Amino acid sequence: MSEQHNQHSLVHANIDADDIGHNTSNNPSFDQILAVRLSRRGLLKGGFSLMAASVLGAGLVACGDDDNSSNNNNNDNNNTNPTSLSFTPVAKSLADALVIPTGYTATVLYAVGDPLNNNIAAYKNDGTDTDFDYRAGDHHDGMYYFGLDTSTNKYAASNADAGLLCMNHENMTQIFLHTASEAATARTAAQVDKEIAVHGVSVVDIRKSGTTFQVNKASAFNRRITAATTVDMSGPAAGDDMLFTKYSPTGLQTRGTLNNCANGYTPWGTYLTCEENWAGYFKTNTASLADGKEKTSRNRYGVAATDGSYGWANAMPADDKCARWNITATGASAADDYRNAANTFGWVVEIDPFDATSMPKKRTALGRFAHEGCWPAKAVAGKPLVFYMGDDSRNEYIYKFVSDALWDAADVGKGVAAGDKYLNAGKLYVAKFNADGTGSWVQLTLSNTSIATYTTYTFADEADVLINARLAADAVGATKMDRPEWGAVNPVTGEIYMTLTNSVSSSSGRGVKTALDAANPRYYADTKGTATNKGNVNGHIIRWRETGDNHAATSFQWDVFLFGAQADADSNINLSGLTADNDFSSPDGLWFSQASQGLLWVQTDDGFYTDTTNCMMLAAIPGKVGDGGTKSVVNKAVPTNANADQTVTTYMGKTLATTQLARFLVGPSGCEITGIAETPDGKALFVNIQHPGEDTTSLTDPAAFQSHWPNGGTARPRSATVVITRNDGNKVAV
Ligand code: FEO
Ligand code: CA
Ligand code: CA
């Protein structure tokens, strides 16, 4: 979520947890670092809106004046890495349309409300629809394609014709889920039920149909997991008294998964969904709590919304479904109320898509924070499995989990039982980025004296360290980052990339309250209309290489792969030399193709360059850590430097040519582009268009909605998955 998410709610102002810094620790990272380092193309013209709005599947605009016959590295050999991009970049766009390159076709596969079986009526999209337990949820986000062997109904990683598409439904555009009269009043219990059900995850059986894909509505695999589904707690914190609730007095279960942002997958064929901005959904009395561990923990996690983002706890009748969102202590003990309910969110959740009856499991060994996603390093037989994770709030940290169990390919297909083996025991680390271009991983455990003797919060045991991982990371002086979003592991080099989307705040932003450092080196002013935003406005993408190319290593070398910027910005801002063909702001989604190894996709969730362009997706052929050398960044009038100029030395990748970094897609009005998957042959790309039209504030005049994508006319806009294929049938982008 980003700055754009401020207008979800008609009744209750949404708390944008991404946009609130809760890290008040005095981590020495920047002090140490600074002590050392102070020192259009006009292609989209007439008739565009007309093309942009007609029927489902319209609003898809191909542009570009070149054919793509110059493709020089397309092939079906997975062992050959592309060296350049083959498509013609698309221009920035403010149209209410999905813009893709010439020679490509996009079709809508799965939009909010689409039925998951043949018994559910078609989506009317007028606010009266119900049955979201059997329809696509809202705000499509992270997703993954699991190949399906249709004869055995088992995982078949290489099958490009049939698959189970697992996808997150992060949040909702509340206004479009209700009728005009409902939207104008407080939520009823029935409306809360609907809102709870549009959150969560879809498992969708999809089959190749001609050159694209269709949902197989007859499939028994189709499944919704919502914010009401029963989920097991597993790992070291399962059963901890801080997880006791009236629903599960032993702390072994909870209901639902919430604000499922990005994702991951396991080598044994299960899906990982990650709980990001769960903190704001709860009705709390945190401010009036007595000082103590509970208050310290809630403040550190931003659990502070008076009524909750959507007022769920206030709906009548106040039965358990609604009351469970109120975390005020009302009973005799934690087993009598929901004071601990928020502690059962903020986890990585494992789902077996191949068993529709299996219960999801929250994996507490991977720590509790605002999980963006959970990205696996390549599994190697006999080695631990490693997963990289980001905590997406301003000034939060980057983590990794290293399993105790060693990988055995015989576990493929064993579902959550394999998860019990690999994801319930291991080491959780947090990252420090040093000023000299090195970095280290610090294990979060009571064996670390800084954690054992931390005075801000006294950890009871290792479970407490996991439940309050942010506080443990504070204790060891982890490096505050500019909002870690998605990560991705380069299948060719093993290097890890992670987006740092931006950090802009007059109270806690980079350069304002949080000092600049080598890994987060920019503070500058950017104008948007009459507004001026200051900080790291456009974000960057950091990357690192583990020592010895060992993912379990405790040290690494890092640099910045790309700095976001508008192409016409000062050279101290546009450090990566971006051009009109590839300039971007606020990188968020990030993903390496497996079929075209070394091809990287970057998606944006932006609110700062949106006076010029809607959010977008770019393709890149990256180099490797250290290929660009050092860079001195001159920052003007930095508040944390007494409003003086400040030069920070950083490390960055080489400047990429347009053939190595190019804009592939621009979305419709008001959307973010987030979530990407491919068929294992690299010939079909699945991309999620999240919350088109989300800045719409009134249902009164449908013609005035911010977007009508994808249905066009005066339709309400819908989040949706699109399938993108190349008209010549070859691999996408290379
Ligand atoms: Fe849900 Fe950090 O994006
Ligand atoms: Ca600007
Ligand atoms: Ca995101």
Side-chain angles (χ1 to χ4, degrees):
M1 297 213 299
S2 82
E3 279 67 20
Q4 294 132 303
H5 290 65
N6 291 328
Q7 299 180 48
H8 282 304
S9 172
L10 298 180
V11 183
H12 302 279
N14 186 40
I15 304 294
D16 180 355
D18 285 0
D19 205 25
I20 301 170
H22 303 292
N23 191 342
T24 54
S25 70
N26 292 314
N27 283 2
S29 56
F30 52 79
D31 301 305
Q32 295 165 343
I33 288 165
L34 290 176
V36 179
R37 288 291 172 189
L38 262 175
S39 42
R40 181 128 39 195
R41 304 177 333 159
L43 294 174
L44 309 176
K45 289 182 177 163
F48 196 80
S49 323
L50 210 61
M51 294 171 68
S54 52
V55 294
L56 195 72
L60 308 164
V61 178
C63 72
D65 55 356
D66 301 325
D67 65 32
N68 44 16
S69 58
S70 60
N71 164 26
N72 60 0
N73 45 34
N74 180 71
N75 60 74
D76 288 312
N77 181 350
N78 287 355
N79 297 320
T80 303
N81 307 318
T83 55
S84 67
L85 303 168
S86 63
F87 62 91
T88 302
V90 303
K92 295 184 283 285
S93 167
L94 288 169
D96 187 25
L98 181 64
V99 184
I100 56 174
T102 295
Y104 286 81
T105 298
T107 54
V108 173
L109 174 69
Y110 186 62
V112 58
D114 278 350
L116 272 173
N117 66 49
N118 288 312
N119 301 320
I120 298 295
Y123 194 53
K124 295 194 289 290
N125 195 23
D126 61 2
T128 66
D129 299 277
T130 56
D131 302 318
F132 277 90
D133 287 330
Y134 307 100
R135 297 182 184 279
D138 204 357
H139 281 214
H140 302 37
D141 207 313
M143 69 181 151
Y144 192 77
Y145 175 99
F146 294 91
L148 174 68
D149 182 328
T150 55
S151 54
T152 62
N153 277 339
K154 303 280 193 209
Y155 180 37
S158 63
N159 191 357
D161 296 334
L164 300 182
L165 196 62
C166 295
M167 130 182 11
N168 293 343
H169 299 289
E170 184 183 32
N171 203 325
M172 59 182 169
T173 306
Q174 199 178 27
I175 189 170
F176 292 124
L177 293 174
H178 304 293
T179 65
S181 60
E182 289 172 342
T185 56
R187 297 280 73 79
T188 64
Q191 292 162 18
V192 171
D193 281 348
K194 184 195 281 194
E195 294 187 358
I196 286 172
V198 303
H199 286 70
V201 173
S202 287
V203 178
V204 193
D205 182 330
I206 60 170
R207 302 294 170 97
K208 194 166 188 184
S209 172
T211 58
T212 185
F213 279 79
Q214 286 184 343
V215 173
N216 173 20
K217 288 201 285 184
S219 174
F221 289 115
N222 293 342
R223 181 183 189 190
R224 282 299 318 286
I225 289 153
T226 75
T229 303
T230 301
V231 175
D232 278 337
M233 305 300 304
S234 67
D240 190 89
D241 57 6
M242 280 188 284
L243 304 186
F244 289 3
T245 62
K246 187 176 172 184
Y247 180 71
S248 181
T250 54
L252 293 173
Q253 288 189 327
T254 189
R255 266 173 296 182
T257 182
L258 196 60
N259 211 269
N260 304 83
C261 184
N263 64 315
Y265 62 94
T266 68
W268 55 94
T270 61
Y271 186 66
L272 301 176
T273 183
C274 300
E275 301 180 324
E276 188 192 18
N277 291 317
W278 45 272
Y281 287 73
F282 297 96
K283 177 184 176 113
T284 80
N285 62 350
T286 300
S288 62
L289 278 181
D291 287 344
K293 285 183 62 176
E294 185 178 25
K295 187 171 187 174
T296 301
S297 171
R298 285 197 191 176
N299 283 334
R300 187 64 186 80
Y301 280 83
V303 182
T306 305
D307 279 329
S309 310
Y310 299 120
W312 289 349
N314 295 336
M316 295 298 291
D319 65 9
D320 211 43
K321 287 182 299 190
C322 298
R324 73 182 180 106
W325 302 102
N326 183 346
I327 57 172
T328 306
T330 55
S333 76
D336 300 306
D337 58 35
Y338 288 97
R339 71 187 68 174
N340 285 333
N343 291 342
T344 70
F345 291 87
W347 304 102
V348 174
V349 189
E350 185 183 15
I351 294 168
D352 182 1
F354 294 93
D355 180 359
T357 65
S358 72
M359 192 177 290
K361 289 198 171 191
K362 299 201 179 188
R363 298 297 184 187
T364 65
L366 282 71
R368 174 173 166 266
F369 38 93
H371 275 284
E372 181 77 16
C374 185
W375 295 278
K378 189 174 180 179
V380 178
K383 302 283 188 187
L385 297 178
V386 179
F387 294 86
Y388 295 93
M389 303 176 285
D391 181 355
D392 180 14
S393 274
R394 192 175 310 117
N395 303 321
E396 293 302 341
Y397 308 127
I398 292 171
Y399 298 80
K400 79 172 175 184
F401 174 79
V402 179
S403 70
D404 285 349
L406 308 181
W407 174 236
D408 178 354
D411 289 323
V412 172
K414 291 187 179 172
V416 293
D420 290 342
K421 174 179 175 182
Y422 294 102
L423 297 178
N424 283 352
K427 298 183 177 73
L428 181 65
Y429 295 90
V430 71
K432 281 187 179 181
F433 290 80
N434 302 320
D436 63 358
T438 65
S440 60
W441 293 105
V442 183
Q443 191 186 348
L444 301 181
T445 168
L446 283 169
S447 302
N448 183 310
T449 311
S450 299
I451 295 173
T453 62
Y454 194 46
T455 54
T456 301
Y457 183 93
T458 304
F459 294 94
D461 49 28
E462 297 290 356
D464 199 357
V465 171
L466 296 170
I467 294 168
N468 288 287
R470 279 185 174 175
L471 286 158
D474 292 346
V476 300
T479 303
K480 296 176 178 177
M481 308 301 285
D482 287 348
R483 292 186 50 197
E485 296 255 17
W486 287 52
V489 181
N490 187 331
V492 178
T493 64
E495 293 182 353
I496 305 93
Y497 288 61
M498 192 167 278
T499 52
L500 301 168
T501 194
N502 57 53
S503 178
V504 179
S505 164
S506 58
S507 60
S508 63
R510 184 67 61 182
V512 176
K513 181 84 178 292
T514 310
L516 300 170
D517 63 31
N520 302 274
R522 284 194 305 177
Y523 169 90
Y524 56 95
D526 176 83
T527 57
K528 180 185 171 188
T530 56
T532 299
N533 297 294
K534 296 179 180 177
N536 178 9
V537 182
N538 304 116
H540 57 288
I541 303 173
I542 202 162
R543 63 183 173 184
W544 61 93
R545 189 165 197 147
E546 304 279 16
T547 299
D549 291 329
N550 170 15
H551 286 282
T554 55
S555 62
F556 58 87
Q557 198 82 28
W558 65 268
D559 74 3
V560 174
F561 168 53
L562 282 177
F563 288 96
Q566 48 190 85
D568 60 2
D570 180 86
S571 61
N572 276 296
I573 299 168
N574 185 11
L575 295 162
S576 295
L578 304 181
T579 70
D581 286 331
N582 57 27
D583 60 341
F584 68 93
S585 174
S586 305
D588 187 339
L590 192 72
W591 187 73
F592 272 101
S593 169
Q594 299 296 312
S596 299
Q597 299 227 327
L599 171 65
L600 178 69
W601 294 98
V602 181
Q603 302 175 315
T604 72
D605 174 14
D606 184 44
F608 298 112
Y609 203 20
T610 44
D611 51 344
T612 301
T613 184
N614 297 338
C615 289
M616 64 182 70
M617 184 167 88
L618 307 102
I621 307 288
K624 57 185 182 182
V625 170
D627 63 11
T630 60
K631 181 80 180 178
S632 291
V633 187
V634 180
N635 296 285
K636 299 289 187 187
V638 181
T640 49
N641 196 39
N643 295 315
D645 294 355
Q646 181 180 338
T647 301
V648 180
T649 298
T650 188
Y651 307 85
M652 59 180 290
K654 66 183 179 186
T655 298
L656 298 180
T658 303
T659 53
Q660 297 166 311
L661 176 66
R663 188 179 304 106
F664 181 83
L665 170 159
V666 183
S669 303
C671 79
E672 75 177 80
I673 308 297
T674 183
I676 179 168
E678 68 181 353
T679 50
D681 58 5
K683 295 179 177 179
L685 202 59
F686 305 92
V687 177
N688 281 332
I689 312 300
Q690 192 191 79
H691 63 65
E694 77 155 357
D695 292 335
T696 305
T697 55
S698 168
L699 293 170
T700 306
D701 177 11
F705 295 168
Q706 185 192 18
S707 171
H708 303 286
W709 190 90
N711 297 71
T714 57
R716 296 176 178 207
R718 300 164 75 187
S719 294
T721 305
V722 295
V723 186
I724 301 174
T725 52
R726 194 162 151 169
N727 296 347
D728 64 10
N730 284 316
K731 283 184 179 178
V732 173
V734 297

